[in-house]
Amino acid sequence: MIGRTVTEVTVRENESSQNFEGQKGIRYDINCIFDNSTRAQVEIQGLNRKYDYGKRAEYYVARLVSSIAVKGDDWDDLPKAYQITLMDFKYDKSNEEPLHRYTLTDINDGSKLSDTINVIFLELPKLPPIDDKTDIKTLPSAIKWGTFFKEADNPKRQKLIGELVKTDGGIMCAEKTLDKISEDGWRWFDEAYNQSFRIDQVSSMNACRREGRRESQLESARNLLAMKVLSYEQISQAIGLPLEKIEELAAELATSQS
């Protein structure tokens, strides 16, 4: 993802409190240190929840920075920190590029602030298709790794996995680790910390409430439009929806009536 050699990896298991039905036992984090002291937290996300995952990633990378910035450090010596996430859903629906890199930039000219805080998303559903004609050796490393995570447990793509292993020593080690995990009956569990889970719950509930309120506003606006008593501007002010949305609903109503 960032072109550096990993020198240290820590996998931390976190016992969860099992506060809800269906919650599984152990949560885990993967933290890496690279050969230039850069730090990264690596995470895998399989579900596209209702809340904004981008904000969640910002929170994690900010916490990572604060954990390495101890009193007495020189700001110039503060290493970069990364939140790296492989996600099995499309986060950015505006384009089909699988790899996205985010950092703090000026909103006017795009100039970077310090490069300390970095977020990387690799969206697995956007990975390019690979067939027998694909030259595996020429694929970018991030695409190879993403393909490995996406297809490692697919019995129909084991030939592809074998080709990926041949071209990347790191993927070879990952495959051996995955084999050992399978032999030992190791279970993969839910992501992140108990604290993040609580935030997940609250964010999801709030998103549902907002969605419910939005549907109620739309239904009220349709009813007022059907009555043909108030102007579009009056309905907009009464319901709290933009005038453009009221005009859109009016057009839909006219089409359905015709």
Side-chain angles (χ1 to χ4, degrees), residues 195-210:
Q195 181 181 5
S196 71
F197 170 72
R198 289 193 295 271
I199 297 176
D200 290 353
Q201 280 189 311
V202 173
S203 298
S204 296
M205 287 188 293
N206 287 339
C208 289
R209 291 192 185 99
R210 288 193 296 270

Side-chain angles (χ1 to χ4, degrees), residues 57-124:
E58 287 178 328
Y59 167 77
Y60 273 120
V61 72
R63 189 171 64 178
L64 181 59
V65 170
S66 66
S67 70
I68 58 180
V70 298
K71 185 176 181 180
D73 279 351
D74 188 324
W75 290 115
D76 292 336
D77 297 331
L78 190 65
K80 293 182 180 179
Y82 290 84
Q83 167 68 20
I84 301 175
T85 304
L86 284 76
M87 46 183 59
D88 198 20
F89 58 89
K90 293 183 179 182
Y91 173 75
D92 184 353
K93 296 182 175 60
S94 64
N95 64 69
E96 287 301 311
E97 287 295 323
L99 187 62
H100 296 273
R101 303 173 183 272
Y102 305 94
T103 189
L104 296 178
T105 61
D106 186 279
I107 61 174
N108 295 314
D109 60 19
S111 59
K112 294 182 180 180
L113 187 61
S114 70
D115 280 349
T116 300
I117 292 180
N118 300 271
V119 173
I120 298 178
F121 289 163
L122 180 59
E123 302 172 55
L124 300 185

Side-chain angles (χ1 to χ4, degrees), residues 21 102 241:
E21 183 180 357
Y102 305 94
L241 288 174

Side-chain angles (χ1 to χ4, degrees), residues 10-18 23-31 41 60 63 186 189-196:
T10 303
V11 180
R12 296 189 302 178
E13 298 173 358
N14 298 284
E15 295 295 334
S16 56
S17 57
Q18 304 211 6
Q23 182 179 4
K24 300 178 182 178
I26 302 174
R27 297 165 175 265
Y28 65 93
D29 304 320
I30 301 174
N31 293 290
Q41 179 176 334
Y60 273 120
R63 189 171 64 178
W186 188 268
F189 300 97
D190 302 319
E191 75 284 354
Y193 302 88
N194 286 329
Q195 181 181 5
S196 71

